[in-house]
Amino acid sequence: MKNILNSSVTKIALGIVLGFGVIILFVLAISGSSAQAISQSEAETIALSNAKVDRSELLSLNISDDHADGQAVYHITFSSATQDYDYKIAKKDGTIISYGFKPQNNSTNSTIDPNGQNNDPSGNGSSSNAMISEDEAKAIALKDAMVDEGSLVFIRIKSDHEDGIAVYDVEFYANDTEYDYDIAKSDGQIINKDFDIEGYTPSNSDDIISLNEARQIALNRVKGATDQNITIEFDYDDGYRVYEGEIYYNGIEYEFTIDATNGKVIEWSQER
């Protein structure tokens, strides 16, 4: 009887010891996980450093918990005297998941009057009352799209108005892509444009390009634009992995979608 009792006590003692051991290991695991996560202050520092903005320049700053691309992030928004910023920083290691910049004032050095004239506020420019022809508008659109006339499946040109400006609306289809241009009649300036690859099916490859690579692909299409002019983030479009974003530069807003598996620009638009 005594041996049985001793055996029971021993088992209970071992159970208690093992229980405490499991609890200790669990606490250590949580502590280790927490130790790896960055703090809000560290996330702020990462964002400000990337944006090259000093804390003394800030007019406002807000940080909140969020999720992006399936992981916990800090969502940080802040403003300087001229710019608004939006960052998502991974909590686990401080990786920048997405970031963007938007100027508070999209003023430009030139303006377009309701009649389509291009005016230079400095007084150094000149304007002309001559109107371009439909053929000239077509040539401008095809050259910008880098499409040879022999590749056209169809093209349609009609007179229209865009924000009070007389334009030629040039629509055409070539190389499985649909293009749409608004070209000012007064001087041939491209007011708006967009293209969309029809029936495009992204690759199912497991490999994807990085956020930095996608950002550079988009910036390469806008001469003069820099990291400070772009907003970009990873997303899913109909189940496919893409990078979507916007570029604000010289009074023009560009929107784009890039296939994350191969870097192909599948949608692009620009608007003044």
Side-chain angles (χ1 to χ4, degrees):
M1 184 69 175
K2 186 176 179 180
N3 290 336
I4 294 174
L5 182 60
N6 288 337
S7 177
S8 299
V9 171
T10 301
K11 289 179 179 179
I12 292 171
L14 286 173
I16 293 172
V17 171
L18 289 173
F20 274 115
V22 171
I23 292 172
I24 292 171
L25 289 173
F26 181 70
V27 171
L28 288 174
I30 293 177
S31 300
S33 176
S34 300
Q36 292 176 0
I38 66 169
S39 66
Q40 287 191 359
S41 178
E42 290 172 319
E44 290 175 14
T45 300
I46 291 170
L48 293 175
S49 175
N50 181 267
K52 298 180 177 61
V53 174
D54 190 84
R55 289 181 186 273
S56 62
E57 301 175 51
L58 295 180
L59 299 180
S60 66
L61 185 146
N62 182 68
I63 183 168
S64 60
D65 295 329
D66 202 349
H67 282 80
D69 195 17
Q71 59 182 308
V73 300
Y74 290 117
H75 186 188
I76 306 171
T77 57
F78 52 97
S79 300
S80 66
T82 58
Q83 304 159 354
D84 293 327
Y85 299 86
D86 191 317
Y87 277 78
K88 290 181 181 177
I89 310 289
K91 288 186 177 182
K92 65 177 182 179
D93 57 10
T95 298
I96 298 175
I97 303 301
S98 67
Y99 73 91
F101 153 89
K102 184 177 181 180
Q104 294 179 358
N105 184 355
N106 284 332
S107 61
T108 61
N109 293 327
S110 61
T111 59
I112 301 173
D113 72 18
N115 295 318
Q117 302 299 328
N118 186 22
N119 302 316
D120 185 350
S122 66
N124 296 324
S126 61
S127 61
S128 170
N129 292 323
M131 306 283 277
I132 67 170
S133 66
E134 288 190 358
D135 285 341
E136 289 173 315
K138 179 179 74 172
I140 291 169
L142 293 180
K143 180 180 179 180
D144 183 81
M146 293 184 289
V147 171
D148 183 85
E149 190 165 354
S151 302
L152 292 176
V153 175
F154 81 86
I155 184 168
R156 180 181 66 185
I157 305 175
K158 64 179 182 179
S159 295
D160 203 350
H161 282 80
E162 182 69 23
D163 294 330
I165 301 171
V167 300
Y168 288 115
D169 182 1
V170 185
E171 298 181 26
F172 54 98
Y173 187 92
N175 305 320
D176 297 323
T177 304
E178 182 180 356
Y179 300 85
D180 193 343
Y181 281 77
D182 287 327
I183 297 177
K185 288 185 176 182
S186 62
D187 57 6
Q189 184 175 182
I190 297 173
I191 306 301
N192 302 317
K193 73 174 180 179
D194 66 68
F195 73 80
D196 184 12
I197 299 178
E198 298 292 306
Y200 179 76
T201 302
S203 167
N204 289 320
S205 170
D206 292 332
D207 297 327
I208 65 172
I209 64 174
S210 68
L211 182 70
N212 286 337
E213 289 173 315
R215 181 176 64 248
Q216 195 57 52
I217 289 170
L219 288 174
N220 286 343
R221 298 180 67 92
V222 182
K223 186 176 181 179
T226 68
D227 289 352
Q228 299 298 308
N229 304 112
I230 188 171
T231 300
I232 185 170
E233 64 180 355
F234 179 83
D235 200 359
Y236 284 89
D237 186 3
D238 294 330
Y240 293 106
R241 294 163 295 176
V242 298
Y243 288 104
E244 294 181 336
E246 299 174 347
I247 297 173
Y248 296 89
Y249 184 69
N250 272 357
I252 302 177
E253 176 184 359
Y254 305 84
E255 295 184 356
F256 58 86
T257 300
I258 297 174
D259 185 343
T261 62
N262 57 26
K264 187 177 183 64
V265 179
I266 53 181
E267 292 182 11
W268 183 273
S269 67
Q270 73 178 59
E271 181 177 1
R272 288 185 177 274

